[in-house]
Amino acid sequence: KNQVEQSPQSLIILEGKNCTLQCNYTVSPFSNLRWYKQDTGRGPVSLTIMTFSENTKSNGRYTATLDADTKQSSLHITASQLSDSASYICVVSGSNDYKLSFGAGTTVTVRA
Amino acid sequence: KAGVTQTPRYLIKTRGQQVTLSCSPISGHRSVSWYQQTPGQGLQFLFEYFSETQRNKGNFPGRFSGRQFSNSRSEMNVSTLELGDSALYLCASSFPNRDEQFFGPGTRLTVL
């Protein structure tokens, strides 16, 4: 069964600090991995999409890395802002059937 | 370009009733997927429609059904509502190659 596991489940950081979220997956064969940001009560918004050949991609203060060999990805948030408080979801797509496997998400709370 | 729209945004029903939710995809997108999101289960895939045909289906009971119209708009229906159906229902649209999905704001369904 294809799985996506995210850690930590939640974290609290002070405004201005950095943090890193982890995503481990077992989806195989692999097509792409996406990170989404979901604000409370809203739909997820795509942050990055990475394919097998990409090992890093940035979107402003968000930087995602991918190690397809170890099936691990991370999302690094630099100089956090209060608006970064949200749930971050890792989504992996398999190349056979294009079905999406979702992680449970990491809830980030940024405090002033 | 208008995003994915979902109606209604909020809905309150009682057990045993049925409900229909609507999703209008981004113009040009022909694939529409539906997801259920609950605090305990995270995002769970319901089904995907493309060109008025169901292309993929998740592991939900037959009470959950959907359809897609010729203009790519989609509806999902839940019959004989149960308390556990209370959730945020998200719709996402994409181009046929499915590389990236764009989510709507969701419909918050509460079953009393």
Side-chain angles (χ1 to χ4, degrees):
Chain A
K1 179 183 177 184
N2 289 326
Q3 285 190 323
V4 178
E5 295 189 354
Q6 293 186 243
S7 62
Q9 186 175 13
S10 62
L11 67 94
I12 301 173
I13 58 173
L14 292 177
E15 188 177 15
K17 299 296 184 182
N18 304 334
C19 69
T20 300
L21 317 180
Q22 298 291 341
C23 173
N24 296 337
Y25 63 93
T26 60
V27 175
S28 182
F30 167 85
S31 176
N32 61 64
L33 183 146
R34 318 161 194 200
W35 283 95
Y36 283 90
K37 177 188 177 188
Q38 185 176 22
D39 293 316
T40 301
R42 300 190 138 187
V45 174
S46 178
L47 292 175
T48 63
I49 300 176
M50 288 186 293
T51 60
F52 184 89
S53 60
E54 298 173 298
N55 55 24
T56 187
K57 185 167 278 191
S58 292
N59 179 355
R61 294 178 297 100
Y62 300 101
T63 299
T65 65
L66 172 65
D67 186 334
D69 291 332
T70 61
K71 295 186 173 21
Q72 296 179 324
S73 176
S74 65
L75 180 69
H76 186 76
I77 305 175
T78 303
S80 61
Q81 301 177 357
L82 297 178
S83 60
D84 293 331
S85 295
S87 178
Y88 293 84
I89 303 170
C90 175
V91 183
V92 182
S93 174
S95 57
N96 271 353
D97 55 11
Y98 296 101
K99 283 189 177 177
L100 302 179
S101 297
F102 289 83
T106 293
T107 301
V108 174
T109 303
V110 181
R111 291 190 174 160
Chain B
K1 197 175 198 182
V4 178
T5 58
Q6 292 187 243
T7 57
R9 291 295 311 279
Y10 302 93
L11 205 49
I12 299 176
K13 292 285 187 179
T14 56
R15 280 181 299 173
Q17 287 187 307
Q18 75 166 15
V19 66
T20 299
L21 312 181
S22 181
C23 170
S24 292
I26 292 172
S27 177
H29 286 191
R30 293 168 59 195
S31 172
V32 174
S33 297
W34 288 90
Y35 299 89
Q36 181 195 67
Q37 187 177 37
T38 58
Q41 298 291 327
L43 270 164
Q44 292 187 286
F45 172 71
L46 280 157
F47 26 65
E48 179 198 7
Y49 285 88
F50 173 71
S51 292
E52 303 178 63
T53 301
Q54 188 179 89
R55 187 159 62 173
N56 270 312
K57 189 177 188 302
N59 298 321
F60 277 81
R63 299 185 297 108
F64 293 82
S65 63
R67 59 177 176 170
Q68 186 179 34
F69 302 95
S70 58
N71 62 358
S72 294
R73 190 177 70 85
S74 178
E75 289 181 346
M76 70 162 279
N77 185 277
V78 188
S79 62
T80 320
L81 284 166
E82 301 176 359
L83 295 179
D85 296 333
S86 293
L88 180 67
Y89 289 88
L90 291 161
C91 161
S93 75
S94 66
F95 286 110
N97 64 11
R98 318 184 225 205
D99 277 350
E100 184 173 7
Q101 289 188 325
F102 296 83
F103 284 84
T107 294
R108 172 72 63 185
L109 172 65
T110 301
V111 182
L112 302 176

